[in-house]
Amino acid sequence: MASRRDFLSQPAPENYVAGLGRGATGFTTRSDLGPAREGPSEDQIKAAVAKRSAQLGLTESKDDDNNEDENRYQDPDNEVGLFAGGIYEKDDEEADEIWQKVEEKMGRRRQKQRLVISQFSGGSRRGGLSCEQHTNRFISNREAREKAETEEYERKNPKIQQQFAGLKRALESVTDEEWANLPDPKDLTGRTKRARQARMERFYAVPDSVLAAARDTGQFGTTVADDGTATEGTKDGTVTDFAKIGAARDKVLRARLEQESHSSGIVAAGSATSIDPKGYLTSLASTQGAEQSIGDIEQFRKMLKSAVDSNPKQAASWIAAARLEIAAGKPGAARTLIEKGCQHCPHSEDIWLESIHVNQLNSMANAKKIAADAVIKNPHSVKLWVEAMKLETDPRSKSKVIRKGLDYNKESEALWKELVNLEEKVEDARILLARATELIPQSLDLWLALARLEVPENARKVLNKAVKKLPNSHELWIAAARLEEQLGEGTKRPVMKNAVKFLAKQNAMPKREEWIAEAEKCEEEGAVITCSNIIEETLGWSLDEDDDRKELWMEDAKASIGRDRFVTARAIYAYALRVFPNSKTLYMAAVELERNHGTKDDLWRALEKAVEACPNHEVFWLMLAKEKAGEINEARRVLARAFKQNPDNEDIWLAAVKLEADNGFIDQARDLLKTARQNAPTDRVWMRSVAFERQLGDNEAGLDLVRDALQLFPAAPKLWMMKGQIYEDLGKPTEAREAYATGVRAVPSSIPLWLLYSRLEERSGNVVKARSVLDRARQAVPKSPELWTELIRVERRAGNLSQARVLMANALQQMPKSGLLWAERILELEPRTQRKTLLAEAVKKVEHDPILLVTAARLLWTERKLDRAQTWFEKALLLDRDMGDTWAWYYKFLVQHGTNEKREELVAKCVLNDPSHGEHWQAIAKHPKNANKKTDEILKLVAASLA
């Protein structure tokens, strides 16, 4: 142990580099090498190479220098010349061994290839060549080919060294002084990137407040102002200079006072000042934050001053500088600047206009002088003449200015219009317009104004002249048509017809949409005849028979209705009906237009045209009879005409019966029903006959009729229901049960019939029988929410809540999207705490169901969330307006929490929509005692019956 060397005295391991493990490898800089010097000479290089070769044993003597390859210095793989001065280490030895093995392996591979080539070439020897000779020849040919390809490639793709070989040889003539005078190379590697970054850079002006804060940061102590007051230092050592703040505030206040002295009623008179306190305080409200903008204004002032100084002929810079002074509250400086601007840019109308506006605030007299100078410098500027005219107060002076301007601008339409507007006498204005149209014959507005001022005969002549000057203007033709309408000859003279021919010949025919817009404009201005004439002559322009003209015209009419242009829409429907005289949809749309936006006479005329064009369409006859129901004789004549066109139509027969019954003519109604049963013996006619007798309270006569009807129509479920209900009214439950039982056997798919049968048994106390009836019904109609709901209600009313929940689970499993089942479960079978959760689940599964939406509204109603409840009621109405129960629940809600106006609006909407469905609605609306009640009365009765 004692003989072991110290660690620091031990030799370093082979290939050891100090600091390599931690990445601290050494490097050499130019300062370590010293100044650049001339490299070794050629003799020195040869001597070093020879010495290194002798050390490696690669040469026998020093005298063999002539045998050395001069090109070995150019080959990077030749270590003799390249690394002659290097130290041969163990790593070099390992590398040489590896390369030697690689060379041996490649040699063996080449030898194998030669053997294969010799085998293939053995059977084709020529000239007595041996296999070895043939192989050598093949290899030499291949090497020659490869050498030729290499030379060809190097010739086409020379190296950089070869390209600059001539130039490098020319460098021998360069002297040391020329080398020293060569400039240093620039760094061009990132030029494009730096240029792009420079373009993307943005510089913004820093406010003076930020610079002042940065300047004062770190100041300590207290400063003394000029007036002897000390400024207070904050806790961190910074200083608050109250003197400067006060001076800035006074400066802003003076500027505001100077500005308000001209605009807010502050009038200086000697030493006294009259101030409007209200306006003054209002104006001071905008001074908050003015101290912060002083620095920005100064910065902008410097920028604009630089712009003005660099290019004084640019008017925009002077205008911006003046406006900046106005914003800063220095109108005097603004006037000075704008005056200099006018001197530098005397031919810019914008700078003169700005000067007029700036001086107008101070002195109207100065503004007039400036306007006079402006028009002298720019006599052809229409804007300056108009502005000078506005500075005058009396019409005579205004007219004088405009006339002077017309001396320089005779073809200015704006000046002529201003002059005409200033004239008070119609005759003078007419003379001026006549002169204006002579000078400016292409002005449409001047021609139209002249035509309006002329008497009708002269107006026609004026418009004829205008058409010659402006042959492509359709506005002139419309003006001519309106003129004829004013004269009462709008329907006699075909002005628009001639207009279409003339404009088509000139290739100046506007589009169909533009004509519709012109027609609506005429309607807005009261020219309804011209509006109709435009539509009549132009609506079919550029449309072929293959186009969907009817649909297109209906869309045009609806668009006009949406813009409240009902005359235009009426004209569109009239034209479309002339093209399609038997279109039921067009007539229905026209009737709806008159019903909603026309008078009663217009509606009657539209229906008369509809029944004449479509006599076999009973809907129009019924609508016409209903509209004339107030005059029973007229309604009877309408129905008589309908009978002639449709002798066996049951709807017309029933309408006639309703007309007589509503007006109290019972015998006539009974006779009509008897005649109808003979001429149009349908199940509806027989049902109406039975219902008529029930409404009159004659159940025996109704029972006789229903028996006769069932012999003719045994598959009519409503007849079986009527028979059972009559027996119930007569107090004969046994016969009623027999009628229902026979009916469900004859019509097993009738759900209402099954429900009546089950409810009869339940009212009789036979719950088991009612359950049995509903089970049979579910077999006949498997997936009926109404039957499942009725069965669940039977169990619930009988007190079997557990069985009702089981049935509900089975029903929802079969019909998960039934709103009726979900509503029954939420409201009747689940506790109050779980209702909201179930409702959310139901809404996700059932997307659009009015019953479920009403259920949600009722839950929100019970929680006193009235606004949300009202929203859900309205959603349910939008979803299905024919559901009477929704209207009833909403009305009940408004009775408790709504206003009278809201209730009246709801009743009006309900009457307009006339609902006919709903469990509670049908039960009351179809009861015989409520047969003659109106929709609003039924609504109130249903709402009162809801619990």
Side-chain angles (χ1 to χ4, degrees):
M1 297 295 294
S3 61
R4 184 176 179 181
R5 292 185 180 182
D6 186 44
F7 176 77
L8 297 178
S9 301
Q10 294 180 5
E14 296 182 3
N15 302 326
Y16 171 75
V17 178
L20 183 63
R22 65 177 185 276
T25 57
F27 58 91
T28 304
T29 64
R30 174 57 63 184
S31 61
D32 298 327
L33 298 176
R37 60 184 181 273
E38 188 177 358
S41 62
E42 185 176 356
D43 295 338
Q44 291 175 347
I45 294 175
K46 290 182 179 181
V49 171
K51 183 179 179 181
R52 179 58 178 167
S53 301
Q55 291 176 355
L56 296 177
L58 299 176
T59 181
E60 295 180 359
S61 64
K62 299 179 181 179
D63 299 332
D64 295 339
D65 294 342
N66 297 329
N67 298 329
E68 293 180 359
D69 187 6
E70 296 297 336
N71 294 327
R72 69 179 183 275
Y73 301 110
Q74 307 299 328
D75 188 4
D77 295 334
N78 190 350
E79 296 184 0
V80 176
L82 189 62
F83 302 101
I87 300 175
Y88 192 74
E89 297 178 346
K90 189 174 182 179
D91 291 343
D92 299 332
E93 183 180 356
E94 293 177 359
D96 290 340
E97 292 177 358
I98 293 173
W99 284 112
Q100 184 65 28
K101 291 179 181 179
V102 171
E103 290 293 339
E104 292 175 358
K105 186 174 182 180
M106 295 299 293
R108 289 194 298 271
R109 181 180 295 178
R110 285 193 293 270
Q111 187 176 3
K112 290 181 180 179
Q113 292 176 354
R114 292 171 184 172
L115 291 175
V116 173
I117 293 171
S118 64
Q119 290 176 4
F120 278 100
S121 61
S124 60
R125 297 176 181 174
R126 296 177 182 175
L129 294 176
S130 63
C131 179
E132 184 177 359
Q133 292 174 345
H134 191 79
T135 301
N136 292 335
R137 177 178 295 180
F138 178 82
I139 293 172
S140 62
N141 292 337
R142 186 187 64 181
E143 292 176 351
R145 185 179 69 254
E146 292 177 353
K147 184 178 180 180
E149 292 176 353
T150 303
E151 292 176 353
E152 179 67 18
Y153 177 78
E154 291 178 352
R155 185 180 63 81
K156 293 182 179 179
N157 301 282
K159 297 181 179 179
I160 300 296
Q161 183 179 8
Q162 296 174 359
Q163 295 179 13
F164 288 93
L167 297 176
K168 290 174 67 177
R169 284 192 295 270
L171 292 176
E172 296 176 353
S173 60
V174 179
T175 62
D176 295 339
E177 184 178 356
E178 292 176 345
W179 275 109
N181 293 330
L182 289 176
D184 295 333
K186 296 181 179 180
D187 183 13
L188 303 178
T189 56
R191 180 174 61 180
T192 304
K193 182 178 180 181
R194 289 195 297 271
R196 184 170 62 252
Q197 291 177 350
R199 288 196 303 268
M200 296 300 292
E201 278 189 284
R202 295 292 185 270
F203 296 96
Y204 301 94
V206 180
D208 291 350
S209 58
V210 177
L211 298 178
R215 180 197 64 191
D216 297 337
T217 302
Q219 288 187 1
F220 297 92
T222 305
T223 60
V224 179
D226 297 337
D227 57 355
T229 58
T231 58
E232 180 182 353
T234 56
K235 295 181 179 180
D236 58 352
T238 60
V239 177
T240 304
D241 196 343
F242 291 107
K244 291 184 178 180
I245 293 177
R249 186 172 299 161
D250 293 340
K251 186 177 182 180
V252 173
L253 185 58
R254 281 199 306 273
R256 301 297 296 180
L257 288 174
E258 183 179 356
Q259 182 179 1
E260 293 298 326
S261 65
H262 305 293
S263 59
S264 298
I266 304 177
V267 182
S271 60
T273 304
S274 175
I275 300 176
D276 179 12
K278 186 175 181 181
Y280 174 66
L281 294 176
T282 305
S283 64
L284 287 182
S286 62
T287 61
Q288 297 181 358
E291 296 86 348
Q292 301 177 1
S293 63
I294 292 176
D296 297 339
I297 290 175
E298 290 294 335
Q299 185 70 20
F300 292 147
R301 186 178 288 117
K302 292 178 181 179
M303 294 170 58
L304 291 173
K305 186 177 184 303
S306 176
V308 167
D309 294 341
S310 61
N311 188 6
K313 298 297 182 181
Q314 186 176 3
S317 301
W318 292 101
I319 295 173
R323 290 179 179 176
L324 177 65
E325 298 301 335
I326 292 292
K330 294 184 176 181
R335 291 192 293 270
T336 303
L337 280 173
I338 205 66
E339 183 179 357
K340 293 181 180 179
C342 292
Q343 294 174 1
H344 286 88
C345 308
H347 300 295
S348 173
E349 67 176 10
D350 293 333
I351 198 167
W352 284 106
L353 290 172
E354 187 68 23
S355 179
I356 293 171
H357 294 159
V358 170
N359 286 273
Q360 189 175 359
L361 300 174
N362 182 42
S363 173
M364 187 64 69
N366 291 339
K368 291 181 179 180
K369 292 179 182 179
I370 293 172
D373 294 339
V375 296
I376 291 173
K377 298 290 180 59
N378 302 273
H380 299 290
S381 175
V382 176
K383 292 182 179 179
L384 289 175
W385 285 107
V386 173
E387 194 66 29
M389 179 270 296
K390 292 180 180 178
L391 295 176
E392 302 295 337
T393 55
D394 59 300
R396 186 174 180 179
S397 300
K398 290 177 181 287
S399 177
K400 184 177 180 181
V401 173
I402 293 297
R403 289 177 184 274
K404 186 133 182 128
L406 285 172
D407 293 340
Y408 297 95
N409 305 275
K410 295 182 179 180
E411 297 182 358
S412 174
E413 182 179 352
L415 291 178
W416 281 108
K417 287 181 179 179
E418 293 289 345
L419 184 59
V420 170
N421 291 333
L422 291 173
E423 292 296 335
E424 298 178 356
K425 297 181 179 180
V426 178
E427 186 64 28
D428 294 340
R430 188 183 302 120
I431 295 172
L432 290 174
L433 285 172
R435 177 60 178 165
T437 53
E438 291 178 1
L439 295 173
I440 316 173
Q442 302 300 322
S443 175
L444 175 65
D445 294 336
L446 293 178
W447 283 111
L448 293 177
L450 180 58
R452 294 190 192 100
L453 294 179
E454 290 285 358
V455 294
E457 290 75 10
N458 293 336
R460 288 175 179 171
K461 297 178 182 179
V462 169
L463 291 175
N464 290 332
K465 291 181 181 179
V467 169
K468 294 179 181 179
K469 299 294 183 180
L470 299 171
N472 297 333
S473 175
H474 63 279
E475 292 89 347
L476 292 173
W477 290 97
I478 295 175
R482 296 184 61 174
L483 176 63
E484 298 299 334
E485 181 179 356
Q486 293 175 3
L487 297 175
E489 298 182 1
T491 57
K492 299 178 181 179
R493 290 179 176 268
V495 177
M496 291 309 304
K497 186 175 182 180
N498 297 333
V500 171
K501 293 180 180 179
F502 184 82
L503 292 172
K505 186 177 180 181
Q506 297 292 331
N507 292 327
M509 187 70 176
K511 295 182 180 179
R512 189 176 56 86
E513 292 80 4
E514 297 178 10
W515 282 116
I516 295 176
E518 293 290 347
E520 293 179 352
K521 184 178 179 181
C522 292
E523 177 186 353
E524 183 180 3
E525 296 175 356
V528 293
I529 297 177
T530 304
C531 170
S532 301
N533 292 338
I534 292 174
I535 295 298
E536 181 179 357
E537 299 297 337
T538 63
L539 190 64
W541 179 258
S542 72
L543 292 179
D544 299 330
E545 294 183 359
D546 297 335
D547 299 329
D548 297 332
R549 294 182 295 173
K550 183 168 69 172
E551 290 75 11
L552 186 62
W553 290 335
M554 291 186 69
E555 292 178 2
D556 293 337
K558 291 179 181 178
S560 296
I561 293 172
R563 293 187 290 267
D564 295 338
R565 297 293 175 260
F566 308 119
V567 176
T568 305
R570 189 178 292 114
I572 292 174
Y573 282 135
Y575 180 83
L577 285 171
R578 283 196 294 272
V579 179
F580 302 98
N582 299 321
S583 175
K584 299 176 183 178
T585 55
L586 282 174
Y587 273 111
M588 186 62 69
V591 168
E592 289 298 325
L593 172 64
E594 301 301 341
R595 184 196 301 275
N596 298 326
H597 306 288
T599 62
K600 184 173 290 187
D601 294 336
D602 295 334
L603 178 58
W604 288 354
R605 283 194 293 269
L607 286 172
E608 286 289 349
K609 292 179 181 179
V611 296
E612 291 177 3
C614 306
N616 297 325
H617 190 56
E618 69 277 1
V619 175
F620 293 135
W621 289 107
L622 297 177
M623 293 174 67
L624 182 57
K626 184 178 179 180
E627 292 298 330
K628 294 190 176 183
E631 302 176 5
I632 186 171
N633 294 326
E634 290 291 333
R636 285 172 177 171
R637 280 193 286 270
V638 169
L639 291 175
R641 292 165 54 196
F643 280 128
K644 293 180 181 179
Q645 299 292 337
N646 305 275
D648 298 331
N649 190 284
E650 63 179 15
D651 293 322
I652 296 177
W653 281 104
L654 296 179
V657 172
K658 188 175 187 314
L659 176 65
E660 300 295 340
D662 291 343
N663 288 276
F665 298 98
I666 305 300
D667 295 335
Q668 289 87 337
R670 186 178 283 112
D671 294 338
L672 285 173
L673 283 172
K674 183 177 180 180
T675 307
R677 290 196 299 271
Q678 296 174 357
N679 297 334
T682 62
D683 55 345
R684 284 188 61 199
V685 172
W686 281 96
M687 283 187 288
R688 185 69 183 90
S689 302
V690 176
F692 181 73
E693 298 297 338
R694 290 187 64 195
Q695 294 170 9
L696 297 177
D698 193 352
N699 288 325
E700 295 294 340
L703 187 60
D704 295 337
L705 287 174
V706 77
R707 287 170 181 167
D708 297 338
L710 284 173
Q711 294 179 359
L712 299 174
F713 307 101
K718 290 187 177 181
L719 291 174
W720 291 107
M721 287 187 280
M722 285 181 169
K723 183 178 181 180
Q725 289 171 344
I726 290 174
Y727 277 125
E728 288 188 53
D729 294 340
L730 294 174
K732 299 179 180 179
T734 304
E735 289 78 359
R737 184 180 295 109
E738 182 180 357
Y740 289 142
T742 308
V744 296
R745 285 195 298 269
V747 193
S749 59
S750 176
I751 295 174
L753 190 56
W754 285 106
L755 294 177
L756 288 174
Y757 189 11
S758 170
R759 289 167 185 171
L760 174 63
E761 298 293 348
E762 187 178 7
R763 284 194 299 270
S764 301
N766 299 326
V767 178
V768 178
K769 182 65 175 176
R771 188 184 297 118
S772 174
V773 169
L774 290 174
D775 289 338
R776 290 166 52 197
R778 288 190 295 115
Q779 293 178 0
V781 188
K783 291 186 178 182
S784 173
E786 293 81 3
L787 293 176
W788 278 95
T789 303
E790 186 65 23
L791 180 59
I792 292 168
R793 289 174 180 174
V794 168
E795 298 295 343
R796 179 171 56 82
R797 287 192 288 264
N800 300 327
L801 289 179
S802 58
Q803 182 63 22
R805 292 191 178 95
V806 172
L807 291 172
M808 179 62 72
N810 294 333
L812 287 175
Q813 188 174 4
Q814 296 183 21
M815 294 163 287
K817 294 186 177 182
S818 172
L820 180 62
L821 290 172
W822 280 106
E824 183 70 21
R825 179 185 177 184
I826 293 170
L827 294 174
E828 304 296 343
L829 298 181
E830 299 296 339
R832 186 182 298 272
T833 56
Q834 299 181 7
R835 289 179 179 177
K836 292 184 67 175
T837 305
L838 284 174
L839 179 62
E841 181 182 356
V843 169
K844 290 181 180 179
K845 292 185 178 180
V846 186
E847 296 181 357
H848 304 292
D849 193 293
I851 299 177
L852 188 61
L853 296 182
V854 171
T855 303
R858 291 172 61 186
L859 289 181
L860 294 170
W861 183 5
T862 57
E863 295 177 359
R864 307 297 296 177
K865 298 178 180 179
L866 304 181
D867 294 338
R868 294 181 60 189
Q870 183 174 349
T871 302
W872 281 90
F873 276 127
E874 292 176 354
K875 286 182 179 179
L877 288 178
L878 291 175
L879 192 61
D880 188 0
R881 296 181 180 273
D882 197 44
M883 181 64 67
D885 291 356
T886 304
W887 293 97
W889 277 111
Y890 194 16
Y891 181 79
K892 186 178 181 68
F893 171 81
L894 293 178
V895 168
Q896 297 183 14
H897 306 289
T899 61
N900 292 330
E901 293 78 6
K902 193 68 176 178
R903 286 193 292 271
E904 292 175 359
E905 181 183 359
L906 180 69
V907 171
K909 290 181 179 180
C910 182
V911 172
L912 182 63
N913 288 276
D914 193 15
S916 59
H917 291 86
E919 180 180 1
H920 302 281
W921 185 274
Q922 288 183 333
I924 293 178
K926 293 189 176 182
H927 197 278
K929 66 180 182 180
N930 300 324
N932 296 324
K933 287 185 170 57
K934 298 181 179 179
T935 304
D936 55 343
E937 298 175 342
I938 299 296
L939 174 65
K940 296 176 181 179
L941 289 175
V942 176
S945 66
L946 296 176

